[in-house]
Amino acid sequence: MDTAALDPIVSEFETAGQEAEHTAWIRAELTRRQNDPRPPVPHDEVVRRMEERLARWPQRRVA
């Protein structure tokens, strides 16, 4: 694994090895999701579900 430091202005990763590991994980995750046989959930349904969840969320007190 490459441990050479990366410039934080150019990359959010500390080393090229970390960047390569993350890139491999992202590609595997995208492939897994593209191959998911379940039908997609429409945007309006996702919004409705999230609004229901948020309505049940206990109200937090702001100090």
Side-chain angles (χ1 to χ4, degrees), residues 4-16:
L6 297 176
D7 183 345
I9 294 174
V10 177
S11 177
E12 64 186 271
F13 301 99
E14 293 179 12
T15 67

Side-chain angles (χ1 to χ4, degrees), residues 19-63:
E19 184 177 21
E21 286 178 18
H22 181 74
T23 299
W25 175 80
I26 288 289
R27 287 185 176 148
E29 186 66 15
L30 290 172
T31 298
R32 182 185 69 80
R33 290 179 186 205
Q34 286 174 334
N35 293 333
D36 188 340
R38 296 176 294 180
V41 179
H43 175 77
D44 292 344
E45 177 66 13
V46 172
V47 170
R48 185 189 64 75
R49 292 178 189 179
M50 287 306 300
E51 287 173 346
E52 286 179 1
R53 279 184 169 185
L54 291 171
R56 293 190 308 261
W57 190 285
Q59 297 299 317
R60 296 181 181 208
R61 294 182 68 160
V62 178

